[in-house]
Each structure stands twice: as structure tokens, then as C-alpha cells.
Amino acid sequence: FGDKRLDKRFLKVASAQALKPQSSINAASADWSCAKGAYRFFDNTKITPEKILEPHFENTAHRIYGQEFIVVAQDTSFIDFSSHKMTFGLGTATAIGDYEVKGVHFHAGLALSHEGTPLGLVYSKLWSREKQTKRGHDHTKVPIKKKESYRWLECLEKTNDLLPSGTNALIVGDRENDIYEYFERAIDLELDVLVRLQHNRVIVDEFGESERIEDFFLNEKVRGLIEVDIPGNGSRLARKATMEVKFGEVCFEGKPRGLKTARAKNRSDLLLTVLKLTEKNPPSKREALGWTLITTLPVKNLEDAEQVMKYYRMRWTIELYFKSLKSGCGVEKCRLEEAEKLLKFVALCGVVAWRLMWLTWLQREIPHASGELAITEVEWKTLWLKKHKEKIKSGLMKAEPPEEVPDLCTITKW
């Protein structure tokens, strides 16, 4: 932060919050003076969410180093502070009836290894949304760099800056990510992207005529079948779904039907791959699954299509990250009275949430691996002492941790 005292204070605040991620600032602090120091820290104008997260981005780049290929899942989550009546400066989300939802928005780009290991954040943006003044056609005239949706492109650029030499990346996004300039920028940066279709875009058919993507698929034959495991949840039983697959390379029109808006005047046509996956025999029409995906990746056969679908399913990891932030860190319980302070607190919890998620992932995937994959020797021996504190106090055990390193499963439970 350009101030040694602030750096020292930050380490204390971050360490306390990491030890008790679900606790309030008061409860996480050792005493009132520590809590007061934490409040002063978040009140300091030298502190910004970007400065808090920058070292984490650098460490993510170190973890990416040596990986030939990574997937970056990006999405936005709304952190709801509606119940905090005394907090001012909060933005709004979509109103639910007469009830106005207040809070802050958090957009994150989470790097994953080819196998799905969470490597850390490569990008984040925290903001308090203001009410939109321009609507309809006027909103389309706003330059992309001045729009809130520019965050999707910023994630591309930040990923490109952080990528070590020799590592390729695929950035995966959901429907809100279906932005023409996003595909243009990805091609310029030579980064691969995968996005779920939101707009039924205009493309050029083989005869040079304009048609919609959905019309294109009406004339395409089914290239094969893919089986997908659908996990169960509270309202759905686990099952296997058989998906019909169609795919093809198409040309997206930069200026469909002579579009002359300021945003479209410098657009060029784009060659991209589109895939449509539709469930063949769903249990009911309501439960039928289906995705239409756009990607820069080449898809030549059914095997390529299946791999693209697997990459898209990895996008769900970003939802688990937000769950870790909200449930694991209880970030929505924070009672700081200004939105600016809350943004800094959320940034700090964003790093803690990644570590919680990473430890959980390791324990589930490789529970019997050495615990020193996750924590140091000093840390696991301290955990051992804490675990057996009562027996040591009563004289039933000696305060001597074992020489053998416990496995990840044991350490996570401790």
C-alpha cells in the first residue's frame, strides 16, 4: 500500500479473518484494539479492493506457471446487503415487486487447471451499481468501454497479461457474456473463448444470405449423441441425459442488415464455431436440457464437441466460488456502514473464499495425498497440538506431534 504500517496492519487483519472466515470483524479480532485497527484499515482512502487483490493475482500467475492449458470461468454475483438499513452508498439489483434489493456486485475470473483445480482469481471487479439512465436504442449507442458489460472484456485482457509464456487459456462465460466486441477482442488477443448463446444472432449462410443461428441449426443434421451425468438436487433426481449434437462453423455479421450504430461501424465479420446440444428423450418437456454454445475452438468431430461441453460445465465452478464467499465466509453479514468499506472487505474475503474452496477441492479429489500439499509442517503440527490439547493437558499424551505427515482428509477435518 506504499506505507509499512498499513502493510503490517493488513497482514494482521487478513490473518484474523482467515482464521475465522464466518465471523464478524469484531469476533475475528483478538481484542477491541485489533478490531478498531481493522475498522480504521477499511476506512483508509489508500486502501482499495484492487490493491488488496493484486498480490493474489500475482500468486495465481505463479500457480498457473508450468500449466500448458487453463480454463478461466468468469461471472458476476450480487452480494445482498438489503437488510443493512444503516449502510449508505449501496447500489441496486433488479427490484422484486415493490422491494428494492440493495448491495454490491462482484465480477470474478477464476483460473482452473485442465482437471478443474481452482488456481486462484485472475480478475475481479467490485462496484456499487447506479440506476441506468439510458434505455432501449439510446443504450446501444453507449461505447462498450463506458458500459458495465465491459468487465467481460477486461477479464480477457487481465488474463492475457497474467498468462505465463507457453500457457494457453480458454475463458468460459454464461449468457450475459454474449457480446460481439468480446469475441472480437478475444480473436485480437489470440485467446480462446466459450460462451452460451443469448442473442439469436445474424449469420451469413453458404449462399451469402443473412439468416439467424436458430435457422442454421434447423438445416443441420445431428452429428452424434453424448451422454451427460446430471447431478441431483433438492427438486431433481440424478439421471443420465442423452444429448443430440449439432455443430458447424459460421460467419457472424458485424453489421447485420446494414446496421449503422456508432458501436457497429468498426465491426468486422467473425468466423466462429456454434454447437447445439438438445436432450433426446427428456423425462418431461419442462425438464428438457439444451445449450447453444459459441466458441473460437475448432470442432471437427463428436469428440471435439464433447470436450467443449466438458469445458462449459467447468463454468459451474465459479458458482461454487461465490457460494464459498457467501456461505463459507458469511460476507453478507458484514455490518460496515459504507459501501466503499464493504467493497474492501469483500475483496479480502474473496481471497479467503478461494483458499477454502481450494482446500475443499483437494480433500475431495485426492484425500489421501500428503497434507503438506496444502499447509506447512509448522501449521499441521500446530493443528495436531490444538486437536489433542485436552489429552495433553490431562497428561494422557505428550506434546510431541508425530513425524509422519497426515493426509489431506485428516488435515481438513482438523
Side-chain angles (χ1 to χ4, degrees):
F1 300 106
D3 184 322
K4 286 184 179 179
R5 291 172 302 171
L6 279 180
D7 292 347
K8 191 175 178 181
R9 172 59 61 189
F10 174 65
L11 289 174
K12 284 185 178 180
V13 173
S15 298
Q17 208 61 44
L19 283 170
K20 298 179 181 178
Q22 284 192 318
S23 299
S24 65
I25 293 171
N26 269 354
S29 302
D31 51 40
W32 172 237
S33 66
C34 290
K36 196 173 180 181
Y39 290 128
R40 282 179 177 170
F41 174 83
F42 290 116
D43 195 33
N44 196 306
T45 53
K46 290 182 181 179
I47 311 302
T48 64
E50 292 76 23
K51 284 186 177 180
I52 289 172
L53 284 162
E54 198 58 45
H56 174 70
F57 297 149
E58 291 174 13
N59 283 321
T60 300
H62 287 303
R63 286 186 285 271
I64 292 171
Y65 187 80
Q67 303 269 343
E68 291 183 10
F69 177 83
I70 64 162
V71 173
V72 175
Q74 65 165 327
D75 205 355
T76 306
S77 185
F78 182 72
I79 301 172
D80 190 353
F81 293 114
S82 301
S83 62
H84 303 200
K85 304 296 183 185
M86 303 302 290
T87 303
F88 59 90
L90 293 171
T92 58
T94 306
I96 303 171
D98 296 329
Y99 179 67
E100 193 173 45
V101 184
K102 288 188 171 288
V104 298
H105 287 77
F106 183 18
H107 186 88
L110 178 69
L112 309 166
S113 72
H114 190 268
E115 297 81 21
T117 310
L119 301 171
L121 298 180
V122 292
Y123 172 78
S124 84
K125 184 174 182 178
L126 283 150
W127 75 101
S128 188
R129 177 179 285 170
E130 296 177 1
K131 286 187 177 179
Q132 189 174 300
T133 55
K134 294 187 178 182
R135 297 184 179 279
H137 186 64
D138 287 336
H139 188 62
T140 64
K141 296 177 183 177
V142 179
I144 186 69
K145 286 194 175 182
K146 292 184 179 180
K147 296 184 78 170
E148 194 180 276
S149 54
Y150 189 63
R151 66 190 185 275
W152 301 95
L153 283 78
E154 283 182 327
C155 184
L156 273 181
E157 291 162 357
K158 186 67 187 262
T159 301
N160 187 61
D161 292 341
L162 281 177
L163 274 185
S165 178
T167 302
N168 296 317
L170 171 70
I171 296 86
V172 184
D174 210 5
R175 294 183 184 193
E176 197 184 345
N177 203 175
D178 183 6
I179 303 166
Y180 201 91
E181 288 85 353
Y182 179 78
F183 298 111
E184 281 188 314
R185 190 66 182 131
I187 291 168
D188 288 343
L189 294 173
E190 297 182 349
L191 286 173
D192 284 315
V193 293
L194 173 59
V195 175
R196 188 175 180 184
L197 179 79
Q198 181 179 32
H199 309 291
N200 191 10
R201 294 190 176 276
V202 179
I203 60 174
V204 183
D205 67 16
E206 56 187 322
F207 305 108
E209 298 293 328
S210 296
E211 69 172 346
R212 297 282 182 177
I213 287 182
E214 293 301 326
D215 297 329
F216 166 79
F217 282 118
L218 289 175
N219 300 317
E220 283 292 302
K221 65 179 182 180
V222 175
R223 304 293 188 100
L225 302 173
I226 294 175
E227 277 205 338
V228 182
D229 287 315
I230 308 300
N233 58 25
S235 59
R236 179 185 67 202
L237 295 173
R239 62 186 175 87
K240 279 188 181 291
T242 302
M243 311 294 290
E244 293 181 337
V245 184
K246 297 180 180 181
F247 56 82
E249 190 177 68
V250 297
C251 179
F252 279 33
E253 280 197 63
K255 301 168 190 173
R257 294 168 185 159
L259 186 68
K260 293 181 179 178
T261 61
R263 275 181 63 185
K265 68 179 181 180
N266 295 319
R267 286 180 180 176
S268 54
D269 293 350
L270 304 174
L271 279 174
L272 295 163
T273 303
V274 289
L275 301 90
K276 189 174 182 70
L277 299 104
T278 312
E279 189 169 6
K280 190 178 179 184
N281 296 307
S284 68
K285 198 171 183 180
R286 187 181 174 185
E287 293 180 87
L289 298 172
W291 304 280
T292 303
L293 307 174
I294 314 166
T295 182
T296 53
L297 293 169
V299 178
K300 303 296 182 186
N301 50 48
L302 192 63
E303 188 178 4
D304 291 345
E306 187 169 11
Q307 186 60 61
V308 167
M309 188 195 67
K310 285 178 180 176
Y311 289 143
Y312 180 71
R313 293 187 74 189
M314 288 174 75
R315 193 204 69 81
W316 186 250
T317 311
I318 192 74
E319 305 293 352
L320 298 178
Y321 169 73
F322 289 132
K323 182 180 178 182
S324 180
L325 180 70
K326 293 177 184 181
S327 299
C329 295
V331 72
E332 291 175 329
K333 298 174 187 174
C334 181
R335 293 287 170 178
L336 290 169
E337 75 278 10
E338 292 176 42
E340 286 301 313
K341 296 177 185 177
L342 281 171
L343 294 178
K344 299 169 190 179
F345 180 75
V346 172
L348 170 59
C349 289
V351 184
V352 179
W354 164 75
R355 188 166 175 86
L356 286 174
M357 183 183 180
W358 174 67
L359 278 168
T360 305
W361 191 93
L362 286 178
Q363 188 268 329
R364 285 178 181 166
E365 296 297 318
I366 44 172
H368 301 300
S370 169
E372 289 188 347
L373 274 176
I375 61 175
T376 65
E377 181 183 0
V378 170
E379 286 172 331
W380 75 255
K381 286 188 175 180
T382 305
L383 278 174
W384 184 91
L385 289 166
K386 185 177 174 65
K387 172 73 178 171
H388 299 98
K389 181 173 67 175
E390 296 303 321
K391 288 185 177 179
I392 291 167
K393 272 186 176 181
S394 61
L396 295 174
M397 291 180 74
K398 289 185 178 179
E400 296 174 2
E403 293 300 317
E404 188 180 349
V405 182
D407 61 25
L408 274 171
C409 184
T410 305
I411 275 179
T412 305
K413 287 175 181 175
W414 288 354

